[in-house]
């Protein structure tokens, strides 16, 4: 690890003022420290924001507000989250290990980098690590790579479970710029696809710092599920994951939300499948049709074609898990 300066910010405004092109914020450090050890990230200065940002979790004015420094564990075990936004808790508890969840901050979770093996192997070309050097995974080992929203610039996938649930629930990211201006970014616009700048993971302005995450009250609290398929059940990133949430009227679906991880450069919403589910009865046949609709245009790479049937099964399972405790999912 290369030498660096370390400074501690007392407030979000001070942290923003201290930021420069050669500095990075550090909160829990669960991703950044690893990147520094491997010389992927080489900041000249670290700005500790652990006491500059709030870790409070509040539910008021018909919305949940999660402070940027709230640990993943604190969010997952919060009573308001469990009762009103259980999809968030389920997704967080499916990710990482208890030790990492205890350290990782909510805002840091949004900003974590990909776990593509070529990104971590500094001897290989990687556009995300070294701009315009090429993407080794396109023609190389791409078993865990994207099946949606990718291009030849980058086929990496976003690793977060928390973010998949936030995408499904249409969260909003609040940030503060260097001039103390507050900005709000809809979660659907926060992360970006590779386009021609795959080294940029999100649309957060360079001089901005995340202060909180907001989720509006919704009708999905009673019927939600998170399914994560991985190589092993302990501390592994998703091959595919599905966050499902339903607003039910008896056995009929009034509204549906479906999002996935492990399939794209950002958490991926299945909007066409959501529209299809609206107004339908909660049957296995309906769920299977929704799964086929979600995956019909996906284009796997040379080694990840298995993700298509796996994703279909995960979607059906997640939707069934949303409702089967009430006996509303009618079997074939």
């Amino acid at each position: 690890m290369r030498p660096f300066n370390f400074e501690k910010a007392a407030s979000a405004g001070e942290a923003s003022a201290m930021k420069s092109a050669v500095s990075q914020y550090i909160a829990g450090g669960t991703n950044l420290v690893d990147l520094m050890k491997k010389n992927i990230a080489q900041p000249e200065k670290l700005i500790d924001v652990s006491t500059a940002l709030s870790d409070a979790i509040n539910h008021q004015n018909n919305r949940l507000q999660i402070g940027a420094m709230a640990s993943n564990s604190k969010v997952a075990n919060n009573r308001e989250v469990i009762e009103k936004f259980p999809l968030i808790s389920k997704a967080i508890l499916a990710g990482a290990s208890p030790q990492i969840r205890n350290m990782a901050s909510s805002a840091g979770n949004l900003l974590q980098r990909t776990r593509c093996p070529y990104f971590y192997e500094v001897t290989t070309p990687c556009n995300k690590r070294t701009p315009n050097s090429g993407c080794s995974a396109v023609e190389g080992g791409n078993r865990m790579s994207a099946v949606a929203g990718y291009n030849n610039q980058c086929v990496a996938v976003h690793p977060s479970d928390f973010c998949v649930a936030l995408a499904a629930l249409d969260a909003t990211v609040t940030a503060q710029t260097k001039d103390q201006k507050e900005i709000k970014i809809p979660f659907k616009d926060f992360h970006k696809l590779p386009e021609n700048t795959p080294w940029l993971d999100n649309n957060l302005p360079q001089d901005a710092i995340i202060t909180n995450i907001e989720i509006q009250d919704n009708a999905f609290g009673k019927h939600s599920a998170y399914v994560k398929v991985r190589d092993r059940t302990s501390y592994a990133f998703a091959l595919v994951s599905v966050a499902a949430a339903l607003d039910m009227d008896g056995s009929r679906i009034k509204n549906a939300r479906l999002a996935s991880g492990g399939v794209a450069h950002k958490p991926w919403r299945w909007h066409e499948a959501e529209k299809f589910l609206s107004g339908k009865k909660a049957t296995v046949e309906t769920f299977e049709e929704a799964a086929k609709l979600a995956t019909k245009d996906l284009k796997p790479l040379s080694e990840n074609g298995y993700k298509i049937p796996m994703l279909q099964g995960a979607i059906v399972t997640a939707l069934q898990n949303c409702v089967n405790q009430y006996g509303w999912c009618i079997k074939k």
Side-chain angles (χ1 to χ4, degrees):
M1 187 182 293
R2 298 187 180 187
F4 57 88
N5 294 318
F6 182 87
E7 297 183 19
K8 197 174 185 70
S11 66
E14 184 174 300
S16 296
M18 294 164 67
K19 187 75 164 60
S20 70
V22 295
S23 64
Q24 288 195 36
Y25 296 129
I26 185 167
T30 56
N31 186 206
L32 178 57
V33 172
D34 284 343
L35 296 177
M36 292 174 65
K37 287 178 179 178
K38 294 179 179 294
N39 285 318
I40 296 169
Q42 301 175 358
E44 295 181 11
K45 180 173 70 175
L46 289 183
I47 304 168
D48 181 1
V49 297
S50 59
T51 57
L53 304 172
S54 172
D55 67 348
I57 302 172
N58 298 308
H59 183 255
Q60 56 188 6
N61 301 322
N62 299 315
R63 65 180 180 179
L64 178 74
Q65 188 175 80
I66 301 171
M69 272 306 304
S71 71
N72 284 185
S73 290
K74 183 175 182 178
V75 177
N77 294 299
N78 179 269
R79 183 169 57 87
E80 296 275 11
V81 173
I82 293 171
E83 292 179 358
K84 296 182 172 65
F85 306 89
L87 183 59
I88 297 295
S89 180
K90 293 172 183 178
I92 290 175
L93 293 175
S97 65
Q99 294 89 340
I100 289 178
R101 292 197 296 267
N102 288 342
M103 288 296 297
S105 67
S106 293
N109 190 292
L110 273 59
L111 299 173
Q112 64 182 301
R113 308 299 308 275
T114 183
R115 265 55 176 197
C116 175
Y118 293 106
F119 175 72
Y120 278 86
E121 178 48 70
V122 296
T123 63
T124 62
C126 171
N127 284 325
K128 185 171 283 296
R129 175 174 24 83
T130 307
N132 300 314
S133 63
C135 176
S136 296
V138 171
E139 301 295 337
N142 48 44
R143 174 177 173 270
M144 296 188 70
S145 299
V147 293
Y150 66 85
N151 60 22
N152 286 335
Q153 295 286 314
C154 183
V155 296
V157 297
H158 194 270
S160 173
D161 293 291
F162 182 27
C163 288
V164 179
L166 292 175
L169 297 178
D170 285 329
T172 300
V173 179
T174 303
Q176 182 175 301
T177 61
K178 188 171 291 188
D179 58 5
Q180 309 298 303
K181 179 182 177 182
E182 183 179 89
I183 59 173
K184 291 185 179 293
I185 307 173
F187 203 81
K188 65 182 179 65
D189 300 324
F190 184 80
H191 296 101
K192 63 182 292 297
L193 295 179
E195 301 167 334
N196 292 319
T197 54
W199 49 90
L200 299 178
D201 296 324
N202 56 68
N203 291 307
L204 184 70
Q206 185 176 359
D207 68 340
I209 185 169
I210 297 172
T211 54
N212 62 68
I213 303 161
E214 296 180 357
I215 309 168
Q216 290 294 126
D217 283 355
N218 55 65
F220 300 116
K222 292 182 179 179
H223 307 286
S224 65
Y226 192 76
V227 171
K228 182 177 182 179
V229 185
R230 43 191 162 175
D231 284 326
R232 61 184 188 276
T233 56
S234 176
Y235 189 26
F237 297 101
L239 298 172
V240 299
S241 65
V242 176
L246 301 176
D247 176 11
M248 302 291 299
D249 180 12
S251 62
R252 194 168 294 276
I253 301 166
K254 293 172 62 178
N255 193 9
R257 297 287 176 83
L258 278 174
S260 282
V263 300
H265 202 253
K266 60 184 288 185
W268 197 258
R269 279 282 292 274
W270 307 108
H271 292 290
E272 191 174 357
E274 291 176 357
K275 291 179 181 178
F276 169 81
L277 288 166
S278 180
K280 303 288 195 310
K281 280 194 173 182
T283 66
V284 173
E285 292 90 341
T286 297
F287 296 160
E288 289 176 346
E289 285 300 313
K292 291 176 183 177
L293 192 62
T295 58
K296 65 181 176 64
D297 295 323
L298 299 184
K299 297 179 180 179
L301 297 163
S302 59
E303 296 181 358
N304 66 359
Y306 72 92
K307 284 194 175 188
I308 307 304
M310 180 180 284
L311 180 58
Q312 290 176 345
I315 290 174
V316 173
T317 300
L319 289 169
Q320 286 183 291
N321 288 351
C322 283
V323 298
N324 63 9
Q325 59 183 310
Y326 297 95
W328 289 341
C329 184
I330 303 170
K331 305 277 186 189
K332 279 186 178 180

